Every structure is written in structure tokens, then in C-alpha cells.
Amino acid sequence: MSFEIISVIGMGYIGLPTAAMFAARKIKVIGVDINQHVVDIINRGDIHIVEPDLDMIVHAAVTEGYLRAVVIPEPADAFLIAVPTPFKSSDDESRKPDLSYVMGAVESIAPVLKKGNLVVLESTSPVGATEDVARLLADLRPDLTFPQDFGSDADVNIAHCPERVLPGQVVRELVENDRVIGGISPKCSSRAIDLYQTFVKGECVVTDARTAEMAKLTENACRDVQIAFANELSVICDTLNINVWELISLANRHPRINILQPGPGVGGHCIAVDPWFIVSRSPNESKLIKAARKINDDKPQWVVDKVNAKIKDYLITHPELTPQEVLVACYGLAFKPNIDDLRESPSMKIAIAVTALNKGKTVCIEPNISLEKNLDGIVLGRAHDLARAHIHLLLVDHQEFRKMEKPSGVIIDLRGVWA
Ligand code: SAJ
């Protein structure tokens, strides 16, 4: 059965680009979002997120009538669920996945579900979530049959196909990346492949739903552990007076070594979150994954302590200055280079803490954020405001900082740009 109308639930960083990809292949797409404001923006042909090239694709899709957004789901041939899956609490021991958005989306599509439909869970999910979705749909629609009971003969097919795209490169990676397809039955997988092959040029690799869930979590946990290794090395090297950037570039000359880069910590809404979905399901077995989370989460405080120590040293070597006269400059607030995304940004946390602890003035420069923006007491400035700073704290390796000359004064370089 072909897919004439596709509905994407959740018009965020993944749902909107995915909807736009189908619409660009001239398939009718209904985008669903609980936020009326987001729906209005999309229906005007605009976008509410920053992602290169997406604005043109969405504008064309809406103008040509292939994409429209609504608040309440309507009947369709396939439903893709792309809503957030945060964790419930920041308490170290109980970071349980919060599936309320996923289950809310499932409840919202249940009334319009019909025989022949395909439901795909794209949201990053703990192992077993796709089976939970299938059970909830079966409870809500006893008039239909589902693959957990009827296998490939079921009325409705269900699969987990996790998104794996990198923010900033979503339009290219949606098309080029391989796709993991985890159907609850073989028919669920083959229908999901038909759906994605509309625009995916990468290989669609079939597995079961639980392995697909774990594959996505594994990818992000693997990156988190590798970044933790780099962050731990940077702290060790600091105590041994070794340049960690030089060290890593030397070690990486070995043909089987590829160490990632240390930084101020791990930010964003994926890598700092997803490993907890493994830890919360298998707490006794996830020792390394949990330790890596702690190393990465502790790095911002290590940076703040470093700045504090440098301010004290500076006052000792410059007795003519009072504590109120020391100017600290923070370079970059986003969670990674060349984007404006501040979500879970370790650099933001550091800038807020340094602003609070420094008795003098702290100025931050973030080339991707408007100077008018109000950011939790942070003072935003321009590059030339920072020339007279005594302590220069480089937090994000934005291209603007890579191009500028190394400033004079005390340098604390978390990204190896001026080191
Ligand atoms: N980081 C380092 N050192 C490095 C690499 C990254 O400190 O060597 C930091 C970044 O500065 C940032 C954080 O890690 O704070 C995460 O950035 P990222 O570029 O590694 O990843 P995300 O969060 O933008 O996207 C990840 C990707 N996952 C993997 O690369 C395994 C992406 O493919 C996923 O689709 C995305 O998570 C997601 O949605 O889950």
C-alpha cells in the first residue's frame, strides 16, 4: 500500500525537516504540533528553528500545498512520532526517561488510526518503548489488530526508526545517513523501508524494535564515553603541565587511535541525555556509561574553579588592581561551534557562574546570538569590547574565534584554539 498522506507528530528539530523531506518529494504531509504558534509559523511558510537550508524547503513545500500544519491529528497513511523524550529528574540516581510526550502523541493519533496504517516511533527511546506504544494503541483501539498479537497479518504496522542526524547538517544527513529500521514484525519493517526510501539514499538496515532502540542509545553513549576520556585527559594534563591538544594530536597519529576533543563539558539535548536511558534500565551493568556522564557533567565546575584560581593569581601578580577591576572575557555560549543553540550548554553554565563569582566585570561574546537578548544576567559584548580583558576564557571554537588573533592576557583555552 502506498503512502499518499504522511503525518508527522512533533514539528521540532527532527519532525519539521523530516516532514519537509517527504513534502519535497511531492507527498502530502500533515505536520502536527500542540503549539498553535509553531503551527501558524509553518503555515506561513516560515520556520521556528535554526537549521541551514531548511527555510527554503519548508517555504516551497507550504507554498506548493504539500505541507500544512495542524494542532489536532487528521487521518493519514503513515504517522511518524518525533516528539521529545527528556528525562524526568536531574537527581543523579533517578534520571528516568519521560515518555509522556510520546504517549500523548500516541493518544492523539489513536482516534484517527485506520486499517493499513503504519506508525513509526522516531523519538530516541529507552528499550521497550515501541512495544509500550503498540500496547497503548491496542488498548485504545480494540477494533483494530496490532503486530504484537497478529504479526505480519495485523491491521496496523508499528516500527522504531531512530533519527541520527547532526544538528546543523540535518538536511544532508536525513538523506545520506543509513537508517536503522526496527519493525515489530517483518511486515512492519518492510513497510517502514518503503516509507523512508521515498527520500533516504543511505541503506535501510532491518533489525527488531528493541535493538533499534538500543542502537540509537549506544551511538550517543559511545560518543559521550569518548568525550569523557578526552575531558579526563585534559584534567590530568593540566596537573602534569602537558598541552592536551598536542598530546591528542600525537596519539592520534597511531593508526588505531582516534581520541575526541576535550571541551567545557557536553551539551545539547541528546548526548547528555540518552546515556541515562541505558543507565536507568540497567543501573548495575552501566558502570562506564554512568562514570562518563559524571566526568562530562563535572567539567563545567572544574572550569569555574580554574577561572577563580586564575583571578586570584592575577591579583597576586598585579597588586595595583582591586578585585573589582579584573575583567574576564568569555568567548562563546552555544553548546557547540557555529550554532546559536544554548540548550544544556556547559558554556552558558560556566559564563553564569563566572559572572556571579567574579567581583570585577565579566563580558561574554556569542557571535550567533543578538546583543539585545537577555541571558540570565550575562553581559553580552562585541569582540572589540574584550581587547582590554585581563583573563580570556575560550569556551566554544566558533569560526570567528578561530580567525581572530590570540588576545594578550591570561588565556584559559577549553578548545585548543589559542593553546
Ligand atoms: N563535543 C566535545 N568533544 C568532541 C565532540 C563533541 O566536547 O570531540 C561536545 C560538543 O561540544 C557538544 C556535545 O559534545 O557540547 C555534543 O555535540 P555533538 O556534535 O557530538 O552531537 P549532537 O548532540 O549535536 O548530535 C548527536 C549526534 N550523535 C552522534 O554523533 C553519535 C547525532 O548524530 C545524533 O542524531 C544527535 O546527537 C541526536 O539527535 O541524538
Side-chain angles (χ1 to χ4, degrees), residues 394-411:
L394 187 118
L395 295 168
V396 189
D397 45 336
H398 287 313
Q399 57 195 4
E400 289 84 353
F401 306 149
R402 287 199 173 277
K403 281 183 209 149
M404 68 185 272
E405 247 174 59
K406 178 177 170 177
S408 60
V410 176
I411 303 277

Side-chain angles (χ1 to χ4, degrees), residues 124 163-167 173 216 219-220 223 227 260-263 265-267 270-271 274 335-337 346 415:
T124 304
E163 62 78 15
R164 304 153 94 194
V165 288
L166 195 69
E173 289 207 355
K216 169 64 198 258
E219 291 159 12
N220 281 354
R223 196 152 167 87
I227 297 169
L260 292 182
Q261 300 299 304
V266 168
C270 308
I271 294 194
D274 300 354
F335 90 82
K336 64 180 195 174
R415 288 294 186 184

Side-chain angles (χ1 to χ4, degrees), residues 121-336:
L121 178 61
E122 280 214 4
S123 311
T124 304
S125 297
V127 172
T130 311
E131 292 160 357
D132 293 345
V133 165
R135 272 191 290 273
L136 179 58
L137 280 174
D139 286 349
L140 295 170
R141 291 297 304 267
D143 55 319
L144 293 169
T145 59
F146 290 88
Q148 64 273 31
D149 302 318
F150 287 81
S152 291
D153 296 328
D155 291 337
V156 176
N157 297 124
I158 301 174
H160 179 57
C161 307
E163 62 78 15
R164 304 153 94 194
V165 288
L166 195 69
Q169 297 182 29
V170 168
V171 170
R172 184 178 60 76
E173 289 207 355
L174 269 178
V175 174
E176 290 179 6
N177 287 5
D178 291 346
R179 199 86 207 198
V180 175
I181 307 279
I184 290 191
S185 72
K187 171 101 175 284
C188 298
S189 297
S190 70
R191 292 205 67 213
I193 291 178
D194 289 345
L195 178 72
Y196 283 104
Q197 280 182 339
T198 317
F199 68 82
V200 170
K201 293 203 179 116
E203 198 179 331
C204 291
V205 188
V206 173
T207 181
D208 56 73
R210 293 172 81 85
T211 310
E213 288 158 348
M214 190 62 181
K216 169 64 198 258
L217 302 179
T218 300
E219 291 159 12
N220 281 354
C222 175
R223 196 152 167 87
D224 197 44
V225 169
Q226 291 181 348
I227 297 169
F229 181 71
N231 277 332
E232 185 162 288
L233 270 184
S234 72
V235 174
I236 294 169
C237 284
D238 189 68
T239 64
L240 299 177
N241 203 16
I242 289 173
N243 179 329
V244 69
W245 314 100
E246 185 192 359
L247 174 83
I248 290 175
S249 77
L250 292 173
N252 282 349
R253 284 171 179 263
H254 185 288
R256 285 174 294 284
I257 299 297
N258 187 12
I259 302 168
L260 292 182
Q261 300 299 304
V266 168
H269 25 96
C270 308
I271 294 194
V273 174
D274 300 354
W276 288 112
F277 292 8
I278 301 178
V279 175
S280 67
R281 278 280 197 271
S282 310
N284 297 330
E285 295 75 23
S286 312
K287 296 185 183 71
L288 176 64
I289 296 172
K290 191 172 174 186
R293 276 285 64 245
K294 179 156 172 49
I295 291 168
N296 288 333
D297 275 353
D298 286 350
K299 190 75 191 280
Q301 187 56 49
W302 182 86
V303 177
V304 174
D305 292 344
K306 185 106 225 146
V307 176
N308 203 8
K310 291 281 182 191
I311 293 173
K312 285 185 179 143
D313 288 352
Y314 199 83
L315 284 166
I316 293 169
T317 51
H318 294 79
E320 72 282 7
L321 287 181
T322 67
Q324 286 70 25
E325 286 169 327
V326 177
L327 179 58
V328 178
C330 298
Y331 296 73
L333 297 172
F335 90 82
K336 64 180 195 174

